[in-house]
Amino acid sequence: MKTSRFPCRLFGITFFLLLLLGTPQKVPAGNEQTLYEGDSIYNHITIRQAGLNRCMIFGRHRDQRQTCMNIPRPDESVFEYTAMMFVGFQFLPDTRSVCLIGLGGGYIPTVFRMHLPQVRLQSVEVDPLVVRLAKDYFHFQLAAGHALSVTDGRQYLRRNPGKFDQIWIDAFNSDYIPAHMTTKEFLELCLSRLTQNGVVVQNVHNSNQLFDAQVTTFRSVFRHVYVFEGTNSSNSIIVATRAPLYPPPRLCGERCRSRIGPIDLIRESRKFDPNPRIRKEKILTDDYNPANLLLNRR
Amino acid sequence: MGLAYFAFALLLFTFGSVIMSLEILSSNLMSPYFGGSVYIWGSIISSFMVHFSIGYVLGGYLAKRAFKVSFFAVLLIVSSAWVLFIPLLHAPACNFIADRIVDVRAGSLAAMNILFFVPITIMATVSPYIIGILTHYHRDSSLTAGLVLFLSTFGSFVGTNLTAFFLIDWFPVSRIVTGLGWICLAASLLVLSFRLDRKLGRASRIRL
């Protein structure tokens, strides 16, 4: 009996260990290639290469790319919203410090490393596997003046009293968002961590009711809330500040730098929408927060 | 026994649904202070499991010693009152803990136990107490152990779905928690007003 049970046990133990470790796979599919597929404690993550673009995809919706990088030209913005976020530098051209919540493949830190070496960048990423994959597959590296904390974005801001010129929030998937980073209390925390003319820049999808609720919530905290609408995507950028140094539509423009690497700031700043159509929604708070339900309502 | 069955079914369904409703709401209560990670769910579920375990043992003990239903209803009133105070207790308790415990796992575990140990432990006594007390007084009860667990679990199903898909959308979390507290309090007071101890005793004598 003992000899016949042994292979079964061995198989069972091996199978269990494989489950524990996760099973990264390399699966070619058409002209796209899956370089990695596995699970972290937060996400199912796939890394795919299509032509020159390499993408990190969260969740199971493979058609919804989350973060991509052109490998030979890593400062080229594959997505519209990643370029749009740099419009923050048109509000505050002399920005010295930025806090980025949500690392993804590390495209934004790469642009900072290559073109904004004078800016201190604090990146915050909750998922340790995302950090590892960004290093392994997207050549993410910490430049001088850059720092990375592996923790929840809200917890980071809560525990660190330092102030930033800009806080960028890019922590949301298209099918799930960390609801505690949509609330009035969170934005008040961001406001308390901003310098005098500091701005919060947040990437949002504008095709659902959460967009309306988020703009409404931003307006309840910040005196000035501006919406920049993507022209070839359903992404919008919310920029919020208590005292803008250069308010739209007269942004800093050509008086300051008009480009950051390949990103044309003048073109991005023209996406400012002076009268965004915002449907009536309640302010999101820690107490009232159906963010993930609103995310699925058109 | 009809009134006793109704009372027990009411308690099983009400507390079964409220327990799961509170469990779902816990993530909204914890995430502003400890983040929205899987660790929070680990803390929530493990805390509730510990509370259930202690509650089951306590419920079995109360039934074995044939504690009166009126005494049991008073215990449920205590748990309901505690739930009513959670919205007041929540922010100061979580702030206090989050400022002192850096590790979100330990912090959320501590917060979960401070907020929920008393009410969930008491609520978890409902099923074993009712099974035990029916066995004690009325061995051929048509409210079988299986039916008791069905009513409680069905309540949990309703509480989970109603909260996750509707209540969170309609009301602030604090108001939902307060509402749950009032529902529990009303059910407990109603059962207390039934004076079931005499009726159960009489039924027991008839059977004997």
Side-chain angles (χ1 to χ4, degrees), chain A residues 262-276:
Chain A
I263 297 165
D264 183 345
L265 294 181
I266 307 297
R267 189 182 64 195
E268 300 307 330
S269 62
R270 285 198 198 107
K271 293 173 185 172
F272 170 60
D273 182 354
N275 298 303

Side-chain angles (χ1 to χ4, degrees), chain A residues 88-101:
Chain A
F89 283 87
Q90 288 279 294
F91 285 80
L92 201 56
D94 293 329
T95 293
R96 293 190 176 168
S97 58
V98 173
C99 178
L100 169 68
I101 297 174

Side-chain angles (χ1 to χ4, degrees), chain A residues 63-109:
Chain A
D63 56 335
Q64 294 175 328
R65 291 173 175 178
Q66 305 295 324
T67 170
C68 291
M69 188 182 277
N70 184 310
I71 295 300
R73 290 184 299 165
D75 55 346
E76 189 86 43
S77 182
V78 175
F79 288 135
E80 186 178 22
Y81 85 86
T82 40
M84 285 168 71
M85 290 188 85
F86 283 87
V87 85
F89 283 87
Q90 288 279 294
F91 285 80
L92 201 56
D94 293 329
T95 293
R96 293 190 176 168
S97 58
V98 173
C99 178
L100 169 68
I101 297 174
L103 179 70
Y107 166 74
I108 290 171

Side-chain angles (χ1 to χ4, degrees), chain A residues 41-42 126 152 154-155 158-159 176 178-180 282 286-290 293-294 297, chain B residues 31-39 95 98-99 101-102 164 168-169 171-174:
Chain A
I41 55 170
Y42 297 96
V126 72
D152 176 83
R154 183 165 173 171
Q155 300 313 306
R158 181 189 164 92
R159 293 189 186 286
Y176 170 76
H180 63 292
K282 288 181 183 167
D286 284 348
D287 199 23
Y288 174 75
N289 192 352
L293 294 171
L294 294 173
R297 281 194 206 132
Chain B
S31 61
Y33 304 92
F34 306 103
S37 68
V38 72
Y39 295 138
N95 267 320
D99 287 343
I101 303 176
V102 175
I168 285 179
D169 192 17
F171 305 109
V173 172
S174 58

Side-chain angles (χ1 to χ4, degrees), chain A residues 85 98-103 108-109 121-125 166-170:
Chain A
M85 290 188 85
V98 173
C99 178
L100 169 68
I101 297 174
L103 179 70
I108 290 171
L121 179 68
Q122 171 66 57
S123 302
V124 184
E125 169 57 52
Q166 299 190 39
I167 296 173
W168 293 15
I169 306 162
D170 183 24

Side-chain angles (χ1 to χ4, degrees), chain B residues 25-132:
Chain B
L25 294 172
S26 298
S27 93
N28 286 51
L29 295 175
M30 292 296 119
S31 61
Y33 304 92
F34 306 103
S37 68
V38 72
Y39 295 138
I40 302 305
W41 277 111
S43 293
I44 292 170
I45 293 169
S46 61
S47 298
F48 269 58
M49 288 299 145
V50 170
H51 306 165
F52 289 166
S53 310
I54 299 170
Y56 293 156
V57 174
L58 183 66
Y61 173 78
L62 293 175
K64 189 173 182 203
R65 299 294 299 268
F67 274 89
K68 290 182 174 176
V69 177
S70 53
F71 172 78
F72 184 66
V74 170
L75 266 184
L76 295 180
I77 288 168
V78 171
S79 78
S80 311
W82 190 289
V83 172
L84 285 171
F85 280 105
I86 286 176
L88 299 176
L89 192 63
H90 158 244
C94 289
N95 267 320
F96 181 83
I97 294 164
D99 287 343
R100 280 158 186 80
I101 303 176
V102 175
D103 188 295
V104 294
R105 292 165 292 188
S108 55
L109 262 176
M112 280 301 298
N113 280 284
I114 286 171
L115 291 179
F116 291 107
F117 178 80
V118 172
I120 301 301
T121 300
I122 294 175
M123 288 179 189
T125 61
V126 171
S127 297
Y129 175 78
I130 289 175
I131 291 171

